[in-house]
Amino acid sequence: MTRNCMMHSPSLMIFWHLTKGAGISNGRVLLRNTPTLNYVGMQRGFFYDLKAGSLEDQVIDVVHHRQEMNGSLEQAALIINSRKGYHRLFNNAYPGQSGGADPWKIQHAIASYLRSLSPFSSRFDLYMRGDHKQLSADEKAGFNLFMGKAKCGSCHFAPLFNGTQSPLFIKSEAEVLGVPADTDTTGTMIDPDLGRYALYAYPQYKHAFKTATLRNITKTAPYMHNGVYKSLEQVMDFYNRGGGTGLGLKVDNQTLSSAQLNLTKAEIQQIIAFMGALEDLP
Ligand code: HEC
């Protein structure tokens, strides 16, 4: 998550990265790293534990969540309707529905905006549409490794490179990788966050998290639900060793293969180069 803040002079903009978002009360840190909004309209489950089944439900959860916004859509509707301009804009946007803003329209309007964040304008997309000059030899080799030797494509499904399964795109998957609590490769522990298990206590859900999209991934460090990895090199090292089990952690139900991938340094750089080609162009 990137925060920007005006300090002293309006011309001085300071940026810093937070591993986890700041909550509403006294900047208390939230449970997880804030996920990207890129391509959320193409997912069928929201939040790292898939607790919401639609973007409209996701809106209610965040606005009402005590640690996140601690607000209410009813209150928001009252405030919006107290401004004449907004009242009119809501009536224009929802013809035949007078009364300005109300909770379901706010949910729907925000969800509609989120659905617009899927530009498909990366060099990978241009290449797939026939402009074969868009990808370098290394990026193409990286794509082949991603789909082949490194097995990334068995969870990050093309073309969204998230857990929304083709060809029907009606289900978003969660997986158990055994993500550690910190970056040390010795003596660390599995991150204590139980993921989907905290919602449904089935053993296979222990430490299961939604498979995140890799589109624009070069822009959204830090990585994983707890933001443990600061770079794609660190993420690649984790996968190359066989995830949590490969690091020697006790993970009961890891769905990621614990076999080492045996990727060379050059192959790792090629996969990272391919992920860079998933950055949307303006
Ligand atoms: C078994 C399924 C699976 C495989 C195989 C897999 N991933 Fe993932 N990937 C996930 C899941 C699930 C997450 C989210 C985990 C979390 O946040 O704890 C994730 C997260 C990531 C992230 C961080 C995303 C973010 O926004 O924080 C990157 C980068 C990534 N994977 C790249 C890869 C690459 C590269 C490969 C191949 C070397 C790969 N993945 C193989 C399931 C998988």
Side-chain angles (χ1 to χ4, degrees):
M1 169 182 181
T2 305
R3 286 263 158 147
N4 45 21
C5 161
M6 301 284 220
M7 301 275 287
H8 309 302
S9 141
S11 60
L12 179 64
M13 189 84 96
I14 307 246
F15 291 91
W16 75 91
H17 289 274
L18 296 176
T19 303
K20 293 177 180 174
I24 192 96
S25 57
N26 303 329
R28 259 228 311 268
V29 172
L30 297 177
L31 179 64
R32 297 184 181 130
N33 174 18
T34 307
T36 180
L37 296 179
N38 284 297
Y39 297 88
V40 279
M42 312 258 158
Q43 291 173 6
R44 291 296 166 263
F46 305 91
F47 298 104
Y48 263 115
D49 52 12
L50 299 172
K51 74 176 157 181
S54 72
L55 281 171
E56 281 79 357
D57 283 354
Q58 181 269 339
V59 171
I60 305 189
D61 196 279
V62 171
V63 171
H64 291 253
H65 197 288
R66 301 224 8 213
Q67 275 101 43
E68 293 187 27
M69 295 184 81
N70 197 21
S72 97
L73 286 174
E74 285 74 13
Q75 225 182 339
L78 285 177
I79 294 169
I80 291 170
N81 285 331
S82 71
R83 315 264 163 99
K84 271 209 184 98
Y86 275 122
H87 187 271
R88 196 186 59 244
L89 285 168
F90 261 90
N91 283 346
N92 292 347
Y94 294 87
Q97 304 272 339
S98 58
D102 67 23
W104 79 260
K105 286 184 207 156
I106 298 173
Q107 275 173 267
H108 184 259
I110 294 176
S112 303
Y113 168 66
L114 295 177
R115 289 192 182 97
S116 76
L117 303 176
S118 307
F120 290 103
S121 63
S122 69
R123 288 187 295 106
F124 170 79
D125 297 303
L126 301 178
Y127 180 96
M128 294 308 273
R129 284 181 214 132
D131 183 356
H132 290 171
K133 290 193 299 296
Q134 291 289 338
L135 295 187
S136 69
D138 275 344
E139 288 163 347
K140 281 189 260 186
F143 175 75
N144 288 328
L145 287 162
F146 185 96
M147 289 300 179
K149 181 175 174 185
K151 304 189 185 86
C152 320
S154 63
C155 292
H156 295 272
F157 305 117
L160 303 165
F161 302 101
N162 66 7
T164 311
Q165 271 178 334
S166 58
L168 297 178
F169 301 101
I170 51 174
K171 185 172 177 268
S172 289
E173 287 188 344
E175 301 281 348
V176 181
L177 306 184
V179 170
D182 62 53
T183 43
D184 280 353
T185 44
T186 51
T188 185
M189 285 164 29
I190 188 166
D191 185 78
D193 187 338
L194 291 172
R196 202 156 159 64
Y197 185 83
L199 290 181
Y200 306 102
Y202 301 132
Q204 66 271 31
Y205 284 168
K206 215 176 237 180
H207 304 290
F209 294 93
K210 180 175 80 178
T211 307
T213 183
L214 302 182
R215 285 183 170 266
N216 295 302
I217 195 71
T218 44
K219 305 276 195 201
T220 57
Y223 302 112
M224 306 300 186
H225 68 272
N226 57 352
V228 64
Y229 294 127
K230 308 283 175 273
S231 70
L232 289 173
E233 278 78 5
Q234 289 178 333
V235 172
M236 287 307 302
D237 185 57
F238 168 77
Y239 282 117
N240 207 20
R241 289 166 186 263
T245 313
L247 290 174
L249 308 184
K250 191 179 158 345
V251 190
D252 298 334
N253 49 337
Q254 184 169 305
T255 56
L256 174 73
S257 163
S258 56
Q260 295 193 358
L261 294 172
N262 297 317
L263 297 168
T264 65
K265 277 193 180 141
E267 288 174 330
I268 286 177
Q269 285 311 319
Q270 288 173 327
I271 295 174
I272 293 176
F274 159 65
M275 289 194 272
L278 293 176
E279 199 177 302
D280 284 306
L281 303 175

PDB file of all heavy atoms in Angstrom, residues 173-200:
ATOM      1  N   GLU A 173      -9.860 -19.244  -6.697  1.00  0.00           N
ATOM      2  CA  GLU A 173      -9.289 -20.253  -5.802  1.00  0.00           C
ATOM      3  C   GLU A 173      -8.430 -19.662  -4.693  1.00  0.00           C
ATOM      4  O   GLU A 173      -7.826 -18.604  -4.860  1.00  0.00           O
ATOM      5  CB  GLU A 173      -8.395 -21.201  -6.613  1.00  0.00           C
ATOM      6  CG  GLU A 173      -9.170 -22.140  -7.490  1.00  0.00           C
ATOM      7  CD  GLU A 173      -8.287 -23.192  -8.140  1.00  0.00           C
ATOM      8  OE1 GLU A 173      -7.049 -23.013  -8.156  1.00  0.00           O
ATOM      9  OE2 GLU A 173      -8.843 -24.182  -8.627  1.00  0.00           O
ATOM     10  N   ALA A 174      -8.362 -20.413  -3.585  1.00  0.00           N
ATOM     11  CA  ALA A 174      -7.412 -20.106  -2.507  1.00  0.00           C
ATOM     12  C   ALA A 174      -6.439 -21.281  -2.412  1.00  0.00           C
ATOM     13  O   ALA A 174      -6.810 -22.417  -2.729  1.00  0.00           O
ATOM     14  CB  ALA A 174      -8.151 -19.928  -1.189  1.00  0.00           C
ATOM     15  N   GLU A 175      -5.205 -21.034  -1.996  1.00  0.00           N
ATOM     16  CA  GLU A 175      -4.183 -22.083  -1.927  1.00  0.00           C
ATOM     17  C   GLU A 175      -3.369 -21.913  -0.648  1.00  0.00           C
ATOM     18  O   GLU A 175      -3.326 -20.827  -0.071  1.00  0.00           O
ATOM     19  CB  GLU A 175      -3.219 -21.967  -3.122  1.00  0.00           C
ATOM     20  CG  GLU A 175      -3.864 -22.076  -4.482  1.00  0.00           C
ATOM     21  CD  GLU A 175      -4.179 -23.507  -4.893  1.00  0.00           C
ATOM     22  OE1 GLU A 175      -3.691 -24.454  -4.234  1.00  0.00           O
ATOM     23  OE2 GLU A 175      -4.933 -23.666  -5.873  1.00  0.00           O
ATOM     24  N   VAL A 176      -2.675 -22.997  -0.278  1.00  0.00           N
ATOM     25  CA  VAL A 176      -1.814 -22.952   0.907  1.00  0.00           C
ATOM     26  C   VAL A 176      -0.354 -23.004   0.449  1.00  0.00           C
ATOM     27  O   VAL A 176       0.089 -23.998  -0.122  1.00  0.00           O
ATOM     28  CB  VAL A 176      -2.115 -24.152   1.842  1.00  0.00           C
ATOM     29  CG1 VAL A 176      -1.229 -24.094   3.087  1.00  0.00           C
ATOM     30  CG2 VAL A 176      -3.592 -24.176   2.231  1.00  0.00           C
ATOM     31  N   LEU A 177       0.370 -21.910   0.687  1.00  0.00           N
ATOM     32  CA  LEU A 177       1.771 -21.837   0.249  1.00  0.00           C
ATOM     33  C   LEU A 177       2.747 -21.989   1.415  1.00  0.00           C
ATOM     34  O   LEU A 177       3.922 -22.253   1.197  1.00  0.00           O
ATOM     35  CB  LEU A 177       2.065 -20.483  -0.419  1.00  0.00           C
ATOM     36  CG  LEU A 177       1.178 -20.021  -1.577  1.00  0.00           C
ATOM     37  CD1 LEU A 177       1.723 -18.709  -2.140  1.00  0.00           C
ATOM     38  CD2 LEU A 177       1.113 -21.075  -2.666  1.00  0.00           C
ATOM     39  N   GLY A 178       2.268 -21.770   2.637  1.00  0.00           N
ATOM     40  CA  GLY A 178       3.177 -21.787   3.789  1.00  0.00           C
ATOM     41  C   GLY A 178       4.028 -20.529   3.861  1.00  0.00           C
ATOM     42  O   GLY A 178       5.229 -20.596   4.174  1.00  0.00           O
ATOM     43  N   VAL A 179       3.409 -19.379   3.613  1.00  0.00           N
ATOM     44  CA  VAL A 179       4.141 -18.095   3.635  1.00  0.00           C
ATOM     45  C   VAL A 179       4.687 -17.846   5.050  1.00  0.00           C
ATOM     46  O   VAL A 179       3.947 -17.950   6.028  1.00  0.00           O
ATOM     47  CB  VAL A 179       3.211 -16.939   3.195  1.00  0.00           C
ATOM     48  CG1 VAL A 179       3.858 -15.576   3.432  1.00  0.00           C
ATOM     49  CG2 VAL A 179       2.835 -17.103   1.720  1.00  0.00           C
ATOM     50  N   PRO A 180       5.984 -17.553   5.159  1.00  0.00           N
ATOM     51  CA  PRO A 180       6.580 -17.388   6.497  1.00  0.00           C
ATOM     52  C   PRO A 180       6.252 -16.042   7.144  1.00  0.00           C
ATOM     53  O   PRO A 180       5.803 -15.110   6.479  1.00  0.00           O
ATOM     54  CB  PRO A 180       8.086 -17.483   6.218  1.00  0.00           C
ATOM     55  CG  PRO A 180       8.244 -17.046   4.808  1.00  0.00           C
ATOM     56  CD  PRO A 180       6.965 -17.394   4.080  1.00  0.00           C
ATOM     57  N   ALA A 181       6.526 -15.958   8.449  1.00  0.00           N
ATOM     58  CA  ALA A 181       6.268 -14.721   9.192  1.00  0.00           C
ATOM     59  C   ALA A 181       7.322 -13.662   8.876  1.00  0.00           C
ATOM     60  O   ALA A 181       7.062 -12.476   8.977  1.00  0.00           O
ATOM     61  CB  ALA A 181       6.260 -15.016  10.688  1.00  0.00           C
ATOM     62  N   ASP A 182       8.536 -14.088   8.540  1.00  0.00           N
ATOM     63  CA  ASP A 182       9.551 -13.102   8.144  1.00  0.00           C
ATOM     64  C   ASP A 182      10.469 -13.692   7.079  1.00  0.00           C
ATOM     65  O   ASP A 182      10.349 -14.863   6.723  1.00  0.00           O
ATOM     66  CB  ASP A 182      10.320 -12.555   9.357  1.00  0.00           C
ATOM     67  CG  ASP A 182      11.070 -13.634  10.082  1.00  0.00           C
ATOM     68  OD1 ASP A 182      11.836 -14.361   9.426  1.00  0.00           O
ATOM     69  OD2 ASP A 182      10.887 -13.774  11.309  1.00  0.00           O
ATOM     70  N   THR A 183      11.398 -12.861   6.605  1.00  0.00           N
ATOM     71  CA  THR A 183      12.174 -13.259   5.423  1.00  0.00           C
ATOM     72  C   THR A 183      13.344 -14.179   5.730  1.00  0.00           C
ATOM     73  O   THR A 183      13.950 -14.706   4.808  1.00  0.00           O
ATOM     74  CB  THR A 183      12.747 -12.011   4.714  1.00  0.00           C
ATOM     75  OG1 THR A 183      13.243 -11.133   5.709  1.00  0.00           O
ATOM     76  CG2 THR A 183      11.724 -11.330   3.866  1.00  0.00           C
ATOM     77  N   ASP A 184      13.666 -14.375   7.006  1.00  0.00           N
ATOM     78  CA  ASP A 184      14.780 -15.285   7.319  1.00  0.00           C
ATOM     79  C   ASP A 184      14.495 -16.659   6.751  1.00  0.00           C
ATOM     80  O   ASP A 184      13.383 -17.155   6.891  1.00  0.00           O
ATOM     81  CB  ASP A 184      14.935 -15.443   8.840  1.00  0.00           C
ATOM     82  CG  ASP A 184      15.672 -14.270   9.425  1.00  0.00           C
ATOM     83  OD1 ASP A 184      16.142 -13.455   8.621  1.00  0.00           O
ATOM     84  OD2 ASP A 184      15.748 -14.172  10.663  1.00  0.00           O
ATOM     85  N   THR A 185      15.497 -17.273   6.151  1.00  0.00           N
ATOM     86  CA  THR A 185      15.234 -18.619   5.636  1.00  0.00           C
ATOM     87  C   THR A 185      15.552 -19.680   6.680  1.00  0.00           C
ATOM     88  O   THR A 185      15.285 -20.850   6.495  1.00  0.00           O
ATOM     89  CB  THR A 185      16.040 -18.885   4.344  1.00  0.00           C
ATOM     90  OG1 THR A 185      17.349 -18.404   4.532  1.00  0.00           O
ATOM     91  CG2 THR A 185      15.394 -18.216   3.150  1.00  0.00           C
ATOM     92  N   THR A 186      16.130 -19.274   7.805  1.00  0.00           N
ATOM     93  CA  THR A 186      16.323 -20.241   8.899  1.00  0.00           C
ATOM     94  C   THR A 186      15.640 -19.695  10.151  1.00  0.00           C
ATOM     95  O   THR A 186      15.643 -18.486  10.386  1.00  0.00           O
ATOM     96  CB  THR A 186      17.826 -20.447   9.231  1.00  0.00           C
ATOM     97  OG1 THR A 186      18.406 -19.167   9.424  1.00  0.00           O
ATOM     98  CG2 THR A 186      18.542 -21.216   8.147  1.00  0.00           C
ATOM     99  N   GLY A 187      15.067 -20.594  10.905  1.00  0.00           N
ATOM    100  CA  GLY A 187      14.502 -20.204  12.197  1.00  0.00           C
ATOM    101  C   GLY A 187      13.198 -19.440  12.123  1.00  0.00           C
ATOM    102  O   GLY A 187      12.661 -19.035  13.152  1.00  0.00           O
ATOM    103  N   THR A 188      12.639 -19.229  10.929  1.00  0.00           N
ATOM    104  CA  THR A 188      11.382 -18.494  10.870  1.00  0.00           C
ATOM    105  C   THR A 188      10.208 -19.451  11.091  1.00  0.00           C
ATOM    106  O   THR A 188      10.392 -20.671  11.139  1.00  0.00           O
ATOM    107  CB  THR A 188      11.243 -17.736   9.541  1.00  0.00           C
ATOM    108  OG1 THR A 188      10.059 -16.942   9.578  1.00  0.00           O
ATOM    109  CG2 THR A 188      11.137 -18.684   8.355  1.00  0.00           C
ATOM    110  N   MET A 189       9.016 -18.879  11.218  1.00  0.00           N
ATOM    111  CA  MET A 189       7.810 -19.692  11.422  1.00  0.00           C
ATOM    112  C   MET A 189       6.812 -19.375  10.321  1.00  0.00           C
ATOM    113  O   MET A 189       6.902 -18.319   9.692  1.00  0.00           O
ATOM    114  CB  MET A 189       7.149 -19.307  12.742  1.00  0.00           C
ATOM    115  CG  MET A 189       7.846 -19.810  13.960  1.00  0.00           C
ATOM    116  SD  MET A 189       7.282 -18.921  15.426  1.00  0.00           S
ATOM    117  CE  MET A 189       5.622 -18.453  15.031  1.00  0.00           C
ATOM    118  N   ILE A 190       5.823 -20.249  10.177  1.00  0.00           N
ATOM    119  CA  ILE A 190       4.740 -19.921   9.249  1.00  0.00           C
ATOM    120  C   ILE A 190       4.015 -18.695   9.803  1.00  0.00           C
ATOM    121  O   ILE A 190       3.914 -18.517  11.020  1.00  0.00           O
ATOM    122  CB  ILE A 190       3.788 -21.134   9.069  1.00  0.00           C
ATOM    123  CG1 ILE A 190       2.792 -20.855   7.956  1.00  0.00           C
ATOM    124  CG2 ILE A 190       3.096 -21.518  10.357  1.00  0.00           C
ATOM    125  CD1 ILE A 190       2.041 -22.077   7.465  1.00  0.00           C
ATOM    126  N   ASP A 191       3.533 -17.829   8.908  1.00  0.00           N
ATOM    127  CA  ASP A 191       2.796 -16.650   9.369  1.00  0.00           C
ATOM    128  C   ASP A 191       1.568 -17.134  10.160  1.00  0.00           C
ATOM    129  O   ASP A 191       0.848 -18.032   9.704  1.00  0.00           O
ATOM    130  CB  ASP A 191       2.356 -15.814   8.156  1.00  0.00           C
ATOM    131  CG  ASP A 191       1.698 -14.532   8.589  1.00  0.00           C
ATOM    132  OD1 ASP A 191       2.425 -13.604   8.974  1.00  0.00           O
ATOM    133  OD2 ASP A 191       0.452 -14.463   8.571  1.00  0.00           O
ATOM    134  N   PRO A 192       1.307 -16.567  11.346  1.00  0.00           N
ATOM    135  CA  PRO A 192       0.223 -17.095  12.193  1.00  0.00           C
ATOM    136  C   PRO A 192      -1.188 -16.877  11.632  1.00  0.00           C
ATOM    137  O   PRO A 192      -2.139 -17.499  12.107  1.00  0.00           O
ATOM    138  CB  PRO A 192       0.401 -16.346  13.517  1.00  0.00           C
ATOM    139  CG  PRO A 192       1.268 -15.166  13.209  1.00  0.00           C
ATOM    140  CD  PRO A 192       2.088 -15.512  12.010  1.00  0.00           C
ATOM    141  N   ASP A 193      -1.341 -16.001  10.654  1.00  0.00           N
ATOM    142  CA  ASP A 193      -2.676 -15.729  10.075  1.00  0.00           C
ATOM    143  C   ASP A 193      -3.249 -17.033   9.485  1.00  0.00           C
ATOM    144  O   ASP A 193      -2.631 -17.651   8.614  1.00  0.00           O
ATOM    145  CB  ASP A 193      -2.500 -14.662   8.985  1.00  0.00           C
ATOM    146  CG  ASP A 193      -3.817 -14.151   8.419  1.00  0.00           C
ATOM    147  OD1 ASP A 193      -4.833 -14.864   8.533  1.00  0.00           O
ATOM    148  OD2 ASP A 193      -3.813 -13.045   7.850  1.00  0.00           O
ATOM    149  N   LEU A 194      -4.433 -17.431   9.959  1.00  0.00           N
ATOM    150  CA  LEU A 194      -5.001 -18.724   9.520  1.00  0.00           C
ATOM    151  C   LEU A 194      -5.760 -18.620   8.198  1.00  0.00           C
ATOM    152  O   LEU A 194      -6.255 -19.620   7.674  1.00  0.00           O
ATOM    153  CB  LEU A 194      -5.905 -19.290  10.612  1.00  0.00           C
ATOM    154  CG  LEU A 194      -5.165 -19.753  11.868  1.00  0.00           C
ATOM    155  CD1 LEU A 194      -6.154 -20.125  12.966  1.00  0.00           C
ATOM    156  CD2 LEU A 194      -4.246 -20.930  11.550  1.00  0.00           C
ATOM    157  N   GLY A 195      -5.897 -17.388   7.667  1.00  0.00           N
ATOM    158  CA  GLY A 195      -6.537 -17.228   6.360  1.00  0.00           C
ATOM    159  C   GLY A 195      -7.984 -17.671   6.380  1.00  0.00           C
ATOM    160  O   GLY A 195      -8.753 -17.356   7.292  1.00  0.00           O
ATOM    161  N   ARG A 196      -8.347 -18.456   5.369  1.00  0.00           N
ATOM    162  CA  ARG A 196      -9.741 -18.860   5.184  1.00  0.00           C
ATOM    163  C   ARG A 196     -10.276 -19.707   6.334  1.00  0.00           C
ATOM    164  O   ARG A 196     -11.470 -19.773   6.581  1.00  0.00           O
ATOM    165  CB  ARG A 196      -9.805 -19.630   3.860  1.00  0.00           C
ATOM    166  CG  ARG A 196     -11.155 -19.682   3.249  1.00  0.00           C
ATOM    167  CD  ARG A 196     -11.092 -19.893   1.763  1.00  0.00           C
ATOM    168  NE  ARG A 196     -12.345 -20.435   1.246  1.00  0.00           N
ATOM    169  CZ  ARG A 196     -13.503 -19.791   1.272  1.00  0.00           C
ATOM    170  NH1 ARG A 196     -13.603 -18.604   1.783  1.00  0.00           N
ATOM    171  NH2 ARG A 196     -14.596 -20.363   0.767  1.00  0.00           N
ATOM    172  N   TYR A 197      -9.356 -20.364   7.063  1.00  0.00           N
ATOM    173  CA  TYR A 197      -9.738 -21.217   8.198  1.00  0.00           C
ATOM    174  C   TYR A 197     -10.455 -20.406   9.279  1.00  0.00           C
ATOM    175  O   TYR A 197     -11.326 -20.931   9.987  1.00  0.00           O
ATOM    176  CB  TYR A 197      -8.470 -21.856   8.762  1.00  0.00           C
ATOM    177  CG  TYR A 197      -8.685 -22.860   9.855  1.00  0.00           C
ATOM    178  CD1 TYR A 197      -9.004 -24.182   9.549  1.00  0.00           C
ATOM    179  CD2 TYR A 197      -8.525 -22.516  11.199  1.00  0.00           C
ATOM    180  CE1 TYR A 197      -9.166 -25.126  10.555  1.00  0.00           C
ATOM    181  CE2 TYR A 197      -8.692 -23.452  12.207  1.00  0.00           C
ATOM    182  CZ  TYR A 197      -9.022 -24.757  11.879  1.00  0.00           C
ATOM    183  OH  TYR A 197      -9.186 -25.688  12.874  1.00  0.00           O
ATOM    184  N   ALA A 198     -10.107 -19.123   9.418  1.00  0.00           N
ATOM    185  CA  ALA A 198     -10.757 -18.299  10.443  1.00  0.00           C
ATOM    186  C   ALA A 198     -12.242 -18.114  10.128  1.00  0.00           C
ATOM    187  O   ALA A 198     -13.045 -17.844  11.016  1.00  0.00           O
ATOM    188  CB  ALA A 198     -10.060 -16.943  10.545  1.00  0.00           C
ATOM    189  N   LEU A 199     -12.628 -18.290   8.870  1.00  0.00           N
ATOM    190  CA  LEU A 199     -14.049 -18.197   8.483  1.00  0.00           C
ATOM    191  C   LEU A 199     -14.739 -19.542   8.563  1.00  0.00           C
ATOM    192  O   LEU A 199     -15.865 -19.653   9.038  1.00  0.00           O
ATOM    193  CB  LEU A 199     -14.174 -17.734   7.023  1.00  0.00           C
ATOM    194  CG  LEU A 199     -13.824 -16.306   6.642  1.00  0.00           C
ATOM    195  CD1 LEU A 199     -14.060 -16.137   5.150  1.00  0.00           C
ATOM    196  CD2 LEU A 199     -14.707 -15.347   7.421  1.00  0.00           C
ATOM    197  N   TYR A 200     -14.071 -20.555   8.025  1.00  0.00           N
ATOM    198  CA  TYR A 200     -14.624 -21.926   8.009  1.00  0.00           C
ATOM    199  C   TYR A 200     -13.524 -22.846   8.510  1.00  0.00           C
ATOM    200  O   TYR A 200     -12.498 -22.973   7.838  1.00  0.00           O
ATOM    201  CB  TYR A 200     -14.997 -22.359   6.588  1.00  0.00           C
ATOM    202  CG  TYR A 200     -15.917 -21.405   5.875  1.00  0.00           C
ATOM    203  CD1 TYR A 200     -15.424 -20.526   4.915  1.00  0.00           C
ATOM    204  CD2 TYR A 200     -17.283 -21.396   6.153  1.00  0.00           C
ATOM    205  CE1 TYR A 200     -16.261 -19.647   4.258  1.00  0.00           C
ATOM    206  CE2 TYR A 200     -18.129 -20.520   5.498  1.00  0.00           C
ATOM    207  CZ  TYR A 200     -17.609 -19.640   4.553  1.00  0.00           C
ATOM    208  OH  TYR A 200     -18.432 -18.760   3.899  1.00  0.00           O
TER     209      TYR A 200
END
